[in-house]
Amino acid sequence: MKWVTAFIILLLIFQTESTNGCLIIYLSDGKQVLIGNHEDWFAKDAAVRINRPSSGKLGSVIFTFISEGWAQGGMNEKGLFFDAAHTPYQEIDFDSQLKDYPGNIWQHVLDKAASVEEALQLIKEYKLYDLRESHIMLADGDGNAALIGVDHGKVTIKRVQKSNLVQTNFNPWQPELDNSPVCWRYESAQRQLAILPDATVDNVRNILEQTYQESLTVYSNIYDLKNKTIRTYNKQNFNKVILLSLPDIFQYGDCMASLDSLAGDDDYWKTCSPRPEVAITIRGNVINQSTRQPVSFANIGLIERNVGTLSDQDGSFELTIPHLLRNEAVIFSSIGYDRQSINLSSFRSGNLIVSLKPNSVLLEAITIKATRSHKVKRLGWMGGKDGVLPLDTIQGGGAVALLVESPQSPAYIDKLQVRLMYNSKDTLSFRLHVYAFDSVLQIPGQELLSREVILKESKRFGWLRFDLASSGIVVKEKKFFIGFEWIDDSHTRRKMVAGLKEWERWKKEQFEAHNEKVERLVTKDNNGSEQVAYKYHGNMMNWAGFTTLPPFTGLMVETGKSIETKALRTFERKTSFGPWKELDSTLNAVVTVLY
């Protein structure tokens, strides 16, 4: 079952969503207030951003990723700290009187609040969307601390009374949500605190050294809230400290420096690059202009960029766009509707309502005469060499398309079949696409369907067969693409990210336990920094956490190209409106046409 492992690795590559660190340690003894934390993520371009004090704003230092831009955690000049830990997704019943904050609310907290109490007052008037999949810790130099999270759909605040506290990836109010209220890191930290409970930098560093994850921990921090210093250890190197001291750090101005650069050059601050602006996040709902009903699974994204998503069943969506793409337009589209474009420069704040107008394209009538009066042709490929193409993408809107050529046009699509390598969903849903062949760019072009066709099946593997005779699909072009788009909600995609992180942790544990099936792989990135990964040479189903992963799907492909498959070109895109990329494989799919 090597294909299962390959499938998960591909999923890891495709993801782009951000998740905050999953270990936060709070220690206070009246003299010292210390915070230790790990940032675990698949991106490796971690950076520190300086926000100098200005009129009406406190100075702060925040940690981010160059590819993302928003505050993952940090501290301001008054010693106010925040960080987040990823938790199981929950919907929140927000009061209708609350407002949307037009930006990153936690950066706003660092800009304005000098203490935990002031921070809690600031956030009272806003909808805290981040809490749907995380809880937040706030702490200040006076030893005040609070956890902000969700208890049965309601935002809840818990004051921290203890001298020490350890938080990981479970909801402290509802730990039963993920059936795993304590992870190995939690237990390890608690054991060490029982032996050495003192609030010292050495104790916190010792805990961090024992609890990092080789394949995921990007950096680790120790915040000293009274002395307003941050000790950072990049990529698990606890022998090299990057020391950040407030307010001294503000002398370098508003700028951002990668942790790789700081780890290699203590004086890098003197030449660090200007601070880029933060990413833009838009939220809203897509509705039918005529009926005002939600448009489920609408494609949303930037043209030819791997930035996109799908609306959920209720039409709601959330999309984060890098600041460098702030001048581009966001496209909203769904089969059967006119496409709509919204320029980001016109977006301010609040919940964006996007009304899609149903198009008036009429299906052209076609008459299928007696059996002997038309010809039948099967187009596509049925071969296979145990290759797998994951159709599930973390962002949503990913699709795969196979180029076929009919002997004659117009042609009527009668039947369709596609081969599953694996499926763990109770009900598998595809959105069918028929794309024109763009002869100039040699890629899938204009959508030829004028109404949505959803294909559903419950098979676990093998050929899926669909009768499309009643769909009335007529293709006027001889060359066209038959395409499949996986559709699922954002909650499932978030769960997949969390599950994949647990899979990485399990492999590391197995390697350390001398499991011969786990191999440790060490490579170097462009900066010469070592990257560690673990490869499992076995059936992924041996992992106990496999059953907790959200259901996923893999389609069969024949790897490589041959004389027979050269013309049957297969393309994929990673997200809505993302660029098409040709694969060195052939999708196992067959479309039957009548002509």
Side-chain angles (χ1 to χ4, degrees):
M1 300 281 283
K2 292 180 181 178
W3 60 268
V4 176
T5 302
F7 170 52
I8 295 298
I9 289 171
L10 283 169
L11 275 175
L12 287 171
I13 294 171
F14 295 163
Q15 66 77 34
T16 59
E17 294 188 87
S18 176
T19 306
N20 294 293
C22 79
L23 178 68
I24 308 173
I25 309 159
Y26 165 83
L27 280 177
S28 177
D29 61 3
K31 297 179 181 179
Q32 291 270 54
V33 183
L34 302 177
I35 303 287
N37 76 318
H38 289 305
E39 178 68 31
D40 298 340
W41 190 229
F42 301 107
K44 303 302 179 186
D45 57 345
V48 180
R49 195 171 77 213
I50 301 174
N51 301 302
R52 281 192 306 178
S54 61
S55 177
K57 284 187 179 182
L58 297 170
S60 64
V61 170
I62 67 103
F63 290 82
T64 184
F65 290 98
I66 294 171
S67 56
E68 296 174 358
W70 58 85
Q72 303 282 355
M75 182 176 72
N76 69 15
E77 63 181 293
K78 298 297 184 180
L80 178 66
F81 157 89
F82 96 91
D83 193 23
H86 184 74
T87 52
Y89 183 85
Q90 277 199 88
E91 284 295 340
I92 303 176
D93 183 18
F94 289 116
D95 189 306
S96 60
Q97 301 301 312
L98 296 178
K99 300 181 293 185
D100 290 327
Y101 185 76
N104 186 300
I105 183 66
W106 307 111
Q107 180 65 66
H108 177 61
V109 166
L110 293 184
D111 290 343
K112 296 293 184 179
S115 65
V116 169
E117 196 59 44
E118 289 182 14
L120 295 178
Q121 288 298 316
L122 271 179
I123 64 176
K124 284 173 61 176
E125 58 182 301
Y126 296 109
K127 296 177 182 178
L128 304 176
Y129 292 104
D130 292 351
L131 298 184
R132 292 180 298 190
E133 53 184 339
S134 64
H135 60 265
I136 304 294
M137 177 179 280
L138 295 173
D140 61 33
D142 292 329
N144 303 306
L147 286 176
I148 310 167
V150 180
D151 184 3
H152 292 87
K154 299 290 185 181
V155 174
T156 304
I157 298 172
K158 177 182 179 181
R159 306 284 182 153
V160 176
Q161 306 296 333
K162 302 177 181 179
S163 60
N164 66 67
L165 183 71
V166 178
Q167 286 301 130
T168 54
N169 296 122
F170 66 96
N171 184 318
W173 292 273
Q174 292 178 265
E176 72 280 0
L177 287 177
D178 65 353
N179 300 315
S180 180
V182 292
C183 70
W184 69 274
R185 311 172 87 177
Y186 180 95
E187 294 173 328
S188 177
Q190 293 285 29
R191 283 195 301 269
Q192 293 180 69
L193 284 173
I195 300 170
L196 294 170
D198 299 334
T200 68
V201 169
D202 286 343
N203 281 354
V204 178
R205 186 177 62 246
N206 184 52
I207 294 173
L208 294 177
E209 286 189 72
Q210 299 300 315
T211 54
Y212 70 84
Q213 298 185 91
E214 274 192 90
S215 57
L216 285 175
T217 300
V218 186
Y219 59 86
S220 307
N221 289 333
I222 301 175
Y223 293 83
D224 183 336
L225 303 190
K226 281 190 175 293
N227 294 310
K228 303 178 184 64
T229 60
I230 308 169
R231 292 171 172 83
T232 296
Y233 305 94
N234 186 46
K235 294 180 177 173
Q236 306 139 37
N237 183 1
F238 290 92
N239 295 317
K240 170 68 175 179
V241 62
I242 301 170
L243 185 63
L244 310 172
S245 180
L246 287 70
D248 297 347
I249 196 73
F250 299 134
Q251 67 181 292
Y252 300 117
D254 289 329
C255 68
M256 187 163 78
S258 72
L259 291 187
D260 285 344
S261 298
L262 293 174
D265 181 1
D266 292 334
D267 293 326
Y268 185 79
W269 280 119
K270 297 176 181 178
T271 57
C272 72
S273 57
R275 176 178 63 84
E277 297 296 330
V278 298
I280 302 166
T281 298
I282 61 173
R283 302 180 180 91
N285 292 80
V286 185
I287 63 173
N288 182 309
Q289 188 182 94
S290 300
T291 66
R292 314 304 291 177
Q293 294 300 306
V295 177
S296 302
F297 306 113
N299 292 111
I300 305 164
L302 276 58
I303 295 291
E304 292 296 305
R305 306 286 191 181
N306 277 320
V307 177
T309 188
L310 293 173
S311 63
D312 278 343
Q313 185 75 42
D314 63 357
S316 64
F317 71 89
E318 179 176 311
L319 180 64
T320 297
I321 299 114
H323 184 74
L324 292 175
L325 303 178
R326 66 191 182 280
N327 294 322
E328 299 199 15
V330 182
I331 306 299
F332 296 81
S333 178
S334 189
I335 296 174
Y337 294 87
D338 290 341
R339 178 178 289 190
Q340 186 172 151
S341 173
I342 296 179
N343 197 300
L344 283 172
S345 62
S346 65
F347 178 76
R348 292 293 178 265
S349 63
N351 200 55
L352 183 65
I353 303 299
V354 180
S355 301
L356 294 185
K357 180 182 178 182
N359 60 41
S360 57
V361 176
L362 297 177
L363 289 176
E364 188 171 313
I366 184 169
T367 301
I368 301 300
K369 300 179 180 178
T371 304
R372 294 181 181 177
S373 63
H374 67 264
K375 296 179 180 180
V376 179
K377 183 70 174 180
R378 289 161 58 86
L379 313 174
W381 187 247
M382 298 189 71
K385 294 180 180 177
D386 201 32
V388 63
L389 179 68
L391 199 57
D392 310 272
T393 59
I394 299 300
Q395 282 188 293
V400 57
L402 175 69
L403 179 64
V404 295
E405 184 171 2
S406 175
Q408 186 175 309
S409 64
Y412 171 89
I413 295 182
D414 185 42
K415 293 180 175 62
L416 176 68
Q417 58 190 87
V418 62
R419 193 176 180 185
L420 276 178
M421 172 65 88
Y422 180 80
N423 171 49
S424 59
K425 298 180 181 178
D426 292 332
T427 302
L428 171 65
S429 296
F430 294 127
R431 176 154 48 206
L432 179 67
H433 290 276
V434 180
Y435 300 109
F437 173 64
D438 187 324
S439 59
V440 177
L441 299 177
Q442 299 282 302
I443 60 173
Q446 180 183 355
E447 174 69 64
L448 298 180
L449 291 182
S450 56
R451 67 183 181 199
E452 189 173 63
V453 178
I454 301 295
L455 308 175
K456 295 189 175 183
E457 185 51 270
S458 58
K459 273 190 173 183
R460 296 303 182 191
F461 58 89
W463 284 98
L464 307 182
R465 294 177 172 84
F466 303 99
D467 188 342
L468 299 178
S470 62
S471 298
I473 302 173
V474 181
V475 183
K476 296 181 179 180
E477 304 179 19
K478 291 182 66 176
K479 268 190 175 183
F480 62 92
F481 285 90
I482 193 77
F484 305 90
E485 179 185 357
W486 166 72
I487 52 176
D488 220 329
D489 58 35
S490 57
H491 173 45
T492 301
R493 300 197 295 271
R494 292 187 186 101
K495 283 186 66 178
M496 181 63 81
V497 172
L500 294 177
K501 292 179 73 172
E502 287 302 305
W503 163 241
E504 292 300 303
R505 179 181 66 81
W506 180 82
K507 289 188 292 183
K508 177 178 182 290
E509 289 180 342
Q510 292 297 305
F511 177 81
E512 293 173 346
H514 307 293
N515 185 335
E516 295 181 353
K517 291 186 177 181
V518 182
E519 178 184 3
R520 185 174 184 266
L521 305 174
V522 180
T523 57
K524 289 190 176 182
D525 61 19
N526 294 334
N527 296 315
S529 300
E530 287 191 347
Q531 306 294 312
V532 179
Y534 294 89
K535 183 176 182 180
Y536 181 59
H537 298 278
N539 190 336
M540 188 182 179
M541 295 179 186
N542 294 331
W543 170 46
F546 181 81
T547 58
T548 67
L549 282 176
F552 54 85
T553 306
L555 295 181
M556 177 79 85
V557 295
E558 176 170 336
T559 55
K561 303 297 287 188
S562 65
I563 295 176
E564 295 174 293
T565 61
K566 185 177 180 181
L568 296 166
R569 301 166 64 187
T570 299
F571 287 76
E572 71 168 348
R573 72 179 186 207
K574 297 293 194 300
T575 188
S576 296
F577 307 113
W580 287 101
K581 178 183 178 182
E582 185 170 4
L583 303 178
D584 185 32
S585 57
T586 305
L587 180 68
N588 282 198
V590 175
V591 56
T592 302
V593 297
L594 308 180
Y595 60 97

